[in-house]
Amino acid sequence: MKSYQIELQGKSYTIKLKSFGRIDINGTVYNLRSLPHRNVAFIPMEYDLPIPEGKVMLVSGMLTMQLVVDGINQSSGKPHVPISKVPVWGYIFAILDFSMCLGGGAIPVLLAVVAFYLTLRISASELYPLGVRILLSVVLLVGGWLIMLLLAFLTAMAIGTV
């Protein structure tokens, strides 16, 4: 798994991301669920790591966890913008994303869950202006429905019902 070497106030730390929600900090293994964290809706997004020399946290992404040390993302080198509360319109789009589950089957449910997660993540982010966040939420909703309908049409074509 991913490993980071950081130094805070002259003290060296080795942080290793392990499988099954565990993290190793200088040989001590912690379970992520036991660490303080901040949620967006019910999804944990930021985990505070028990390192007293600085503000160190893991930030969840769609596929990876990123280490943030004193406000700087260690993967990109850019300042980290902390999550904020999800606005009401973000919850509305997230609920509408779950309407894709009406398509039935695993693929529509997977599309709905991915769109739900991304909508909450985008709506809570302060990296983009409000108009762009709303537009991206609309694109996720409409794009998810279009992908689902396209897959249904292609499946119907393949089995010869259309």
Side-chain angles (χ1 to χ4, degrees):
M1 297 305 257
K2 187 109 175 163
S3 179
Y4 295 94
Q5 289 280 12
I6 62 171
E7 188 170 323
L8 294 169
Q9 297 179 4
K11 190 170 181 184
S12 180
Y13 289 95
T14 302
I15 300 170
K16 296 178 187 173
L17 303 178
K18 297 181 161 265
S19 57
F20 304 111
R22 295 177 302 144
I23 184 166
D24 181 318
I25 302 172
N26 287 351
T28 305
V29 178
Y30 298 92
N31 189 331
L32 278 179
R33 284 177 263 148
S34 67
L35 297 175
H37 59 276
R38 283 167 295 291
N39 294 342
V40 170
F42 55 86
I43 303 170
M45 293 289 190
E46 296 175 346
Y47 296 91
D48 293 324
L49 301 184
I51 298 177
E53 283 79 19
K55 178 139 178 74
V56 182
M57 60 184 170
L58 281 177
V59 178
S60 69
M62 189 65 187
L63 301 174
T64 62
M65 297 290 278
Q66 300 168 357
L67 185 70
V68 174
V69 178
D70 291 331
I72 303 296
N73 186 322
Q74 298 301 296
S75 299
S76 66
K78 295 180 181 176
H80 170 68
V81 178
I83 61 170
S84 61
K85 296 190 178 214
V86 177
V88 173
W89 61 265
Y91 285 114
I92 292 169
F93 278 110
I95 290 167
L96 290 174
D97 287 333
F98 267 125
S99 68
M100 284 185 262
C101 292
L102 297 174
I107 292 175
V109 170
L110 178 65
L111 284 171
V113 168
V114 169
F116 177 82
Y117 174 82
L118 290 174
T119 297
L120 290 178
R121 188 78 181 166
I122 288 168
S123 66
S125 173
E126 294 176 358
L127 289 174
Y128 308 108
L130 178 62
V132 173
R133 290 185 284 161
I134 292 173
L135 180 64
L136 287 173
S137 296
V138 169
V139 167
L140 281 170
L141 178 63
V142 172
W145 269 101
L146 289 176
I147 289 170
M148 186 182 69
L149 293 174
L150 178 66
L151 289 174
F153 178 74
L154 292 175
T155 302
M157 292 278 294
I159 60 175
T161 59
V162 174

